Amino acid sequence: MTYQLGLIGYPIQHSLSPWIHGEFLDKANLQGNYKIMEIDINDSFAEKIEQIKNEGIMGFNVTVPYKQTIIPFLDELDDTAKQIGAVNTVVHQEGKWIGYNTDGIGYVRALEHAYPELFQNKSKKKVLILGAGGAARGIYHAVLTSGYMQIDIANRTKESAEKIALLNKNKAKTSILTLVEAEQRLANYDLIIQTTSVGMKPNTDQTIISLENVNPAAVVSDIVYQPIKTSFLQEAEQRGASIHFGHTMLLYQAQFAFEIWTKENVSTDQMDEELKKILEGR
Ligand code: ATR
């Protein structure tokens, strides 16, 4: 069997997913290919999706700007995708097109791989999420599901943070903060997760908040991976905190998607360093 896989989104010509899934196919000793299927925003999405579905594809990833657009074209959504309201992985199974979202779980897997101790005594640890966009939503859901009991959200616009907090059905405690309040209370948190695009190339000198009050025992995480070490992570490191890189989320969301398509558990060993090198060369 040859796995026909791919990616839809726009623009995606520089996506790293073909490299990642090519490595996974090799590691799992499977025949297959993963192709870029860019859908121009001026094209008919419905027509393009029909075409892709009819080409014998077994599964595909979905990226910006189509993570919500894809939903009406699917037969089923798994629970996580349903609650987040966004799909990044589709599988064709027994004639049905099923949508999943592996972003948040990928993030948590990457974090656990790097900092297993963060996952002990989770009920006593305090998490702060900065930002309230699509990425924050997936991460909040996954962090909540993994058992943390206090997960606060700080965002420029309060209303978006409040919408995300609705995912919490009284399981954990969530306070909504302004970015200034987050700066002031920063010392309370064991894990700080930056989920916005602030600090991404070309605006590499920007940081969403000052880390002046960070607890040196905390882990500071940034989902931005261009550059690999953002100004936010540099500041965290200077202040003695541990840091967690954004490119690892890319790797582990892909690992989980690959599991959904092939039922194979592939390791990401060495790929972290290789991916870092590829990104640093850009
Ligand atoms: P994604 O889906 O990739 O997460 P998004 O939905 O556009 O992206 O979300 C962007 C997030 O980054 C939001 O939380 C946004 O804050 P607002 O809700 O107030 O818009 C945040 N954001 C973007 N630029 C920002 C900036 N310069 N300062 C602070 N927050 C910013």
Side-chain angles (χ1 to χ4, degrees), residues 131-136 155-157 160 179 195-198 208:
N155 194 46
R156 196 172 54 177
T157 315
S160 335
L179 294 174
T195 70
T196 76
S197 55
V198 177
I208 188 160

Side-chain angles (χ1 to χ4, degrees), residues 218-235:
V219 173
V220 175
S221 176
D222 195 337
I223 69 160
V224 170
Y225 56 83
Q226 285 194 298
I228 292 273
K229 198 188 274 183
T230 58
S231 293
F232 191 69
L233 292 183
Q234 285 176 35
E235 186 183 347

